[in-house]
Amino acid sequence: MRPYPFTAVVGMAELRLALLLCTISPSIGGVLVRGEKGTAKSTMVRALAGLLPDVDVVDGCRFSCDPEAPDPSCPDGPHRTVSSSQRPARLVELPVGAAEERVVGSLDLERALRDGVTDFQPGLLAGAHRGMLYVDEVNLLHDHLVDTLLDAAAMGRVTVEREGASVSHAARFVLIGTMNPEEGELRPQLLDRFGLTVEVSSSRDAAERVEVVRRRLAYESDPDAFAAGYADDDASLAAEIAAARKLLPSVELTDEALLQIAEVCAAFEVDGMRADIVTARTAVAHAAWCGRTTVSTEDIRVAARLALPHRRRRNPFDAPGIDSEQLEQALQDAQPPEDDPDGDGPDGDGPDDGGEGDPEGPDDGGPDDSGPDDSGPDGGPGGGAPDENPQHEPRNPQHEPPGPQHGDADAGSQDGAAPRTEQRAGTDTPYRAKLFTVDGAGSGADGRRSRSEGERGRIVGVRPDGTRSGSPHLVATLRAAARHRPQRGPRADGAGPVVLPRDLRFARREGKEGNLVLLCVDASGSMGSKARIREVKTAVLSLLLDAYQRRDKVGLVTFRASEAEVALPPTGSVDVAAARLEQLPTGGRTPLAEGLTRAAEVLRVEALRDGDRRPLLVVVTDGRATSGPEALARAHTAADGLARTGVSTVVMDCETGRMRLGLAKTLAGRLGAEHVAVGDVAAEKLTDEVKRRAA
């Protein structure tokens, strides 16, 4: 079945342009595509493969060496006499769950033991050399693979060290990743390795959505006929890419243009110099795409909108994006008074302007800017174009939502009725949470917090005889075979002991795992002052920030009035968390039983989804239950049920005043939890206690 044509994708002008610019100038460094599910991210990236120009390779080289400059350390080299041929450029897909050996390559251990030679089998990174590497859901990639990508992207080489053997080969590729921000953010180190970033969203225009569905259904009905209808458009676009690549070396980047780029990057306070370099390369590529030989202000404007949004974030709570007014001001400040290359002002509609929204260049052919979407796991229809200039202002964690602020008392409200009082407390500036770990060794997802044993990490020993899991341990295998040498005799060539399959020993590896911290917070009026719930919310944000850095999950269940709700499903997405916690209301009665029941349900569902991730439940309450008759008895019954699950729990007692009922201490006893008496829910005390008690 022929793939969906690139020129048949509907809308998506900004993404289309970013991908084409990276195709014209691979040195830009790739594209990160951020957007909700079902927005044609994967469809467009996979369709790009048909537009990539052919590459010349050395015949018989598994590592795609360039015949003009073959890699002197190529494992298939040295290439003394070079014969070459052409092959299509590759777009290699890296699965999120791929093993490290599949990504970087592996050594044939059996042949090494039998023949004494190093036989290296190339991995996905070798296949992507001089092409493109595509990672769908790149934000879900395991940390050890992220580290591998970082090394390869920075050095342009892959070095594989296995059992005393070392192999190195070139791996220069354009990295393309797609992600849904709701599923978690990307590590800053890898984020910066993407040259450009694009935010995509589904179209709200009914006519455009109809066209998406129409084309998708036509493609599914007869893929070959549908693709044939766009073959000429794809061929024409490929020819324009080839012409732009040929023009690229002739494009002049003047000192005035460099000054504008520097002014823009300085105005947005980006870190390092990579932003300046990528912006310059992108501006040159855009000029070549538009058929110009000199970089103009419009080229810099387009380049800045693509290269800077993900580099101006100061912390994970800031949403990506740039201010268009600030961009225009920076461009004007650096522009010589007599120079006005745009002609028509900041919109850049001059006669030579290819335009940000014109990725097909000066010869846009109409149908080239359309197509469907099946980027979701079910391949369902979707798609649409992002805004021409999507802007996202960074959130201010200290901002308090407008509106009247009420008191905290909840006495006197009727069961099932809306609470008489409600308030919305903001948050203070989140702080760096101290490290806490879970005792013992788990086998959860890769992280940076607790000790784990699994397939990744440093070798700390050898598994017992008969345990055949993990990667083979060469030294232990040879040692096991050597014990039987007197009975088996020497090898035929006399090079060493005879090794049989039963001699294989497998490495025991120790690494780090991520955990789930679920906070069950009493948000009722009995919690007291607005300042107290503000500190609780600040603590949750701080734990979430720490979880983002350590690859944990954090969830939040709140209970107030007559019900409990999951205010924050277990996640690592700090953007979503900051927005939801900011709007968390407080006040009303205390449905403690409902809160514990909802927390137990969240833990049960998460255990089905990710049973290896060990949880810690933190209940923040004063122990009161005021949501109907026998509310306290129902709360104790819910606590008994939680205790039977064996989940590690901490109860943070928020009861204050001279006359204390000790209800939270009783609750802790039923939960089998440690009771922590605190006069106030101080954010520092909360995180310190979680660190100390996590087990």
Side-chain angles (χ1 to χ4, degrees), residues 148-417:
T148 299
L149 282 183
L150 286 173
D151 291 340
M155 306 302 297
R157 300 194 66 81
V158 172
T159 300
V160 182
E161 302 284 351
R162 290 288 186 275
E163 314 298 348
S166 177
V167 177
S168 178
H169 64 83
R172 293 183 297 274
F173 48 81
V174 176
L175 183 60
I176 301 178
T178 58
M179 61 174 284
N180 182 354
E182 293 182 357
E183 297 173 344
E185 286 296 328
L186 198 61
R187 280 173 53 182
Q189 297 92 333
L190 184 57
L191 183 66
D192 191 51
R193 286 294 172 184
F194 286 96
L196 312 177
T197 185
V198 177
E199 294 276 343
V200 298
S201 61
S202 57
S203 174
R204 299 297 182 261
D205 180 78
E208 193 168 80
R209 295 173 73 95
V210 167
E211 185 62 22
V212 168
V213 176
R214 180 181 292 114
R215 295 191 186 193
R216 183 64 196 178
L217 294 178
Y219 172 72
E220 292 177 351
S221 175
D222 191 343
D224 293 336
F226 182 84
Y230 288 88
D232 291 342
D233 294 331
D234 272 4
S236 175
L237 184 56
E240 292 177 16
I241 293 173
R245 292 183 68 148
K246 184 176 181 180
L247 181 62
L248 187 68
S250 303
V251 177
E252 180 184 8
L253 183 64
T254 63
D255 290 342
E256 291 79 6
L258 281 172
L259 179 60
Q260 282 186 297
I261 292 172
E263 288 281 0
V264 169
C265 293
F268 286 102
E269 300 180 350
V270 296
D271 294 330
M273 297 300 299
R274 185 173 285 117
D276 302 64
I277 296 171
V278 171
T279 303
R281 290 171 175 169
T282 306
V284 171
H286 188 263
W289 175 238
C290 295
R292 293 192 291 266
T293 56
T294 303
V295 172
S296 70
T297 299
E298 176 59 23
D299 299 321
I300 299 172
R301 179 182 293 111
V302 171
R305 288 174 177 168
L306 296 173
L308 300 187
H310 60 303
R311 293 189 167 90
R312 65 176 300 273
R313 305 179 73 180
R314 316 318 289 174
N315 64 67
F317 294 101
D318 294 335
I322 59 175
D323 188 316
S324 58
E325 293 183 2
Q326 186 180 1
L327 174 60
E328 294 303 328
Q329 186 61 50
L331 290 170
Q332 293 176 12
D333 291 344
Q335 192 175 41
E338 70 279 4
D339 182 22
D340 184 13
D342 298 334
D344 293 328
D347 292 332
D349 297 324
D352 288 334
D353 183 10
E356 176 192 9
D358 184 16
E360 304 306 338
D363 297 322
D364 187 5
D368 296 355
D369 59 359
S370 341
D373 168 84
D374 62 352
S375 61
D378 57 355
D387 295 336
E388 284 291 316
N389 183 23
Q391 301 300 330
H392 303 276
E393 294 296 334
R395 299 186 182 95
N396 182 359
Q398 301 188 47
H399 172 69
E400 292 192 23
Q405 302 296 322
H406 305 287
D408 301 302
D410 68 336
S413 59
Q414 299 299 318
D415 297 335

Side-chain angles (χ1 to χ4, degrees), residues 404-410 419-426 521-537 556 558-561 565 581-589:
Q405 302 296 322
H406 305 287
D408 301 302
D410 68 336
R420 293 192 326 183
T421 59
E422 179 180 306
Q423 65 172 355
R424 292 181 187 270
V521 180
D522 183 352
S524 68
S526 66
M527 287 293 289
S529 68
K530 175 181 173 182
R532 184 173 303 155
I533 196 65
R534 186 186 189 96
E535 287 175 327
V536 172
K537 292 167 71 172
L556 175 64
T558 64
F559 52 96
R560 58 177 294 272
E565 65 175 348
L581 288 171
E582 189 67 33
Q583 299 296 326
L584 178 65
T586 61
R589 289 195 168 190

